[in-house]
Amino acid sequence: MSEVQNEISFEEMLEQSLKSIHRGEIVEGTVIDVNDNEVFVNIGYKSDGIIPKSEYSNYPEVELRDTVKPGDKIKVKVLRVNDGEGQVLLTYKRILAEQGLSKIEEYYKNKEHLTAKVSLVLAGGLVAIVDEVRIFIPASLVSDEYVDNLRDFLGKEITFVISEFNLRKGRIIGNRKQLLLADRQNKIKESMGKIEVGMVVTGNIKNVTDYGAFVNIDGVDGLIHISQMSWGRVKKPSDVVKVGEEVKVRIIGIDENKNKISLSMKFDEENPWNDAATKYAVGNVVEGVVARMTDFGAFIELEVGVDALLHVSQISKKHVEKPSDTLKIGEKVTAKVLDFNEESKKISLSIKALEEKEEEVKTEETEVSTEE
């Protein structure tokens, strides 16, 4: 037999010894080389197979050299028999993903909790990968509160459930908000069982509105109405508290049906009216500041939480048309207590009485001087 015939025969034998492969077929091979972007696999075909990094794993952070080594046995699926350069294009991740889909479907049916690292942040949400299956978590389902920057979740582990599994539409949706809401409700229920009216607790200011401030008390929202922020007058809640501030409050009401509690920053031992009967007894001379005025008189703040009325007729011995003709907001005044009503918390003052008293004293002094 000639050398040419031997060579032809050898090539035919080699060709016959190599198996044929088809697109979509799953084959087992041996890793023969690895670099940063590709895995080369001997699959017993006349050409070696190549697994691009993008077909090895959905995890963007995967490092091929750390994951697979020459000599490793690996099952792969044929994507193309000829990738245009005479090589076989393979995928590894799609085999794992097909197996992973079965698991994800079971998680969905059983409503099981999954924990995975956020691998991608998209404009509309997050992507977590479980068993090579990409699960999309829309921004609206990421949290039970507004999320300012989704990128804060990148690389972090989160726990969620599968709320939609539809392979026909290619939709596998994760829901973290559902778990957070359920957890919050459990904590609220637990917290509501521990509190009672009259308790003094601490919490953090969560939000400030025109009518009051909301406080987080162990997961329960409590409202401090503007009228309960101080024994004195409050123009606006933001003058008293700020978001994030820790405050001590007293529970004054509980609505178990709505999981709401009413709070107060007013404590009985700090009530300025406790000793007001002594300090502002009829006949006492007191000092205060003009807080506000009406046509019929001026309200004098004797101390925070205690106001008294200085009627227009009691401002001076002279005729006063309206309080603003004589007084100014913030002005300090000295007056005599004409009336004190603890039940209705009303005090009446008079500057006129002091002027009359002063005049009487001067008259008496003059008479004494004349007699001498």
Side-chain angles (χ1 to χ4, degrees), residues 10-134:
F10 177 76
E11 290 178 359
E12 289 177 348
M13 290 173 62
L14 180 62
E15 185 72 28
Q16 291 172 4
S17 69
L18 296 172
K19 61 183 177 184
S20 61
I21 58 173
H22 307 282
R23 181 181 177 184
E25 184 178 354
I26 295 176
V27 297
E28 185 173 55
T30 303
V31 176
I32 56 177
D33 195 16
V34 183
N35 60 35
D36 291 336
N37 299 306
E38 297 166 316
V39 177
F40 298 88
V41 183
N42 181 349
I43 56 173
Y45 188 60
K46 61 184 179 181
S47 299
D48 291 328
I50 295 178
I51 310 172
K53 184 177 180 178
S54 60
E55 286 297 333
Y56 183 83
S57 176
N58 275 322
Y59 294 94
E61 66 272 18
V62 69
E63 294 291 341
L64 293 181
R65 295 179 187 271
D66 296 336
T67 307
V68 61
K69 306 291 183 184
D72 288 350
K73 298 292 184 182
I74 187 170
K75 279 191 176 181
V76 292
K77 177 184 279 192
V78 178
L79 291 181
R80 286 200 301 271
V81 175
N82 187 335
D83 65 356
E85 297 182 1
Q87 296 171 315
V88 181
L89 181 63
L90 306 173
T91 181
Y92 176 65
K93 73 175 185 181
R94 300 193 195 191
I95 295 177
L96 298 182
E98 288 171 5
Q99 297 170 351
L101 282 172
S102 298
K103 293 181 183 179
I104 300 300
E105 187 173 16
E106 287 301 311
Y107 292 143
Y108 168 67
K109 290 178 179 178
N110 298 327
K111 300 179 180 179
E112 292 184 46
H113 297 185
L114 288 81
T115 298
K117 185 186 294 184
V118 175
S119 295
L120 293 170
V121 177
L122 306 178
L126 310 176
V127 174
I129 300 171
V130 178
D131 293 327
E132 292 297 342
V133 177
R134 290 163 61 105

Side-chain angles (χ1 to χ4, degrees), residues 284-320:
N284 286 3
V285 176
V286 296
E287 290 185 345
V289 177
V290 178
R292 59 193 190 282
M293 288 186 279
T294 65
D295 290 340
F296 59 84
F299 286 92
I300 311 299
E301 184 181 69
L302 301 178
E303 62 178 293
V304 175
V306 180
D307 287 350
L309 173 64
L310 177 61
H311 194 271
V312 64
S313 64
Q314 297 297 323
I315 291 177
S316 176
K317 280 183 58 182
K318 300 177 182 179
H319 176 72
V320 176

Side-chain angles (χ1 to χ4, degrees), residues 131-245:
D131 293 327
E132 292 297 342
V133 177
R134 290 163 61 105
I135 300 168
F136 181 63
I137 305 169
S140 61
L141 301 180
V142 168
S143 177
D144 56 343
E145 297 179 339
Y146 173 73
V147 177
D148 183 55
N149 189 359
L150 288 175
R151 294 198 66 81
D152 291 341
F153 288 90
L154 185 62
K156 295 181 179 178
E157 285 194 339
I158 60 173
T159 300
F160 54 92
V161 293
I162 304 299
S163 57
E164 183 178 348
F165 185 87
N166 190 326
L167 294 183
R168 187 172 59 83
K169 292 183 178 180
R171 287 172 61 87
I172 302 177
I173 304 298
N175 189 328
R176 179 173 178 261
K177 178 180 179 179
Q178 180 180 322
L179 297 184
L180 294 176
L181 287 174
D183 185 56
R184 179 190 287 187
Q185 288 303 312
N186 289 334
K187 287 181 179 178
I188 288 175
K189 186 176 180 180
E190 182 180 347
S191 297
M192 291 292 287
K194 295 179 181 178
I195 62 174
E196 57 185 39
V197 173
M199 287 181 63
V200 175
V201 296
T202 58
N204 293 96
I205 301 294
K206 185 178 177 181
N207 188 29
V208 180
T209 68
D210 292 337
Y211 56 85
F214 288 93
V215 183
N216 185 292
I217 308 292
D218 289 334
V220 183
D221 284 340
L223 173 65
I224 312 172
H225 190 268
I226 188 171
S227 63
Q228 293 295 328
M229 289 189 153
S230 172
W231 287 107
R233 291 175 60 85
V234 177
K235 291 183 178 180
K236 56 182 185 292
S238 58
D239 290 339
V240 181
V241 294
K242 305 296 180 186
V243 172
E245 179 183 352

Side-chain angles (χ1 to χ4, degrees), residues 239-371:
D239 290 339
V240 181
V241 294
K242 305 296 180 186
V243 172
E245 179 183 352
E246 185 177 84
V247 292
K248 183 174 73 170
V249 291
R250 181 167 55 90
I251 298 173
I252 59 176
I254 300 174
D255 188 335
E256 295 183 357
N257 294 326
K258 295 182 178 180
N259 291 326
K260 301 285 186 182
I261 54 179
S262 299
L263 305 170
S264 176
M265 294 176 68
K266 295 159 67 172
F267 297 92
D268 293 337
E269 63 272 18
E270 299 171 358
N271 189 340
W273 284 88
N274 288 342
D275 56 353
T278 301
K279 290 190 291 185
Y280 309 117
V282 173
N284 286 3
V285 176
V286 296
E287 290 185 345
V289 177
V290 178
R292 59 193 190 282
M293 288 186 279
T294 65
D295 290 340
F296 59 84
F299 286 92
I300 311 299
E301 184 181 69
L302 301 178
E303 62 178 293
V304 175
V306 180
D307 287 350
L309 173 64
L310 177 61
H311 194 271
V312 64
S313 64
Q314 297 297 323
I315 291 177
S316 176
K317 280 183 58 182
K318 300 177 182 179
H319 176 72
V320 176
E321 187 69 29
K322 56 183 183 294
S324 58
D325 290 341
T326 304
L327 303 173
K328 294 180 180 180
I329 298 295
E331 179 182 352
K332 288 184 178 181
V333 298
T334 301
K336 181 179 181 179
V337 178
L338 290 185
D339 186 52
F340 178 88
N341 189 322
E342 187 168 13
E343 185 177 349
S344 61
K345 291 183 171 51
K346 290 183 178 180
I347 302 173
S348 298
L349 302 177
S350 174
I351 296 177
K352 176 181 175 181
L354 291 182
E355 292 176 342
E356 290 175 342
K357 180 65 176 178
E358 185 178 349
E359 190 173 277
E360 288 178 10
V361 171
K362 288 182 178 180
T363 300
E364 291 176 358
E365 289 177 347
T366 300
E367 289 178 351
V368 170
S369 177
T370 302
E371 291 176 359

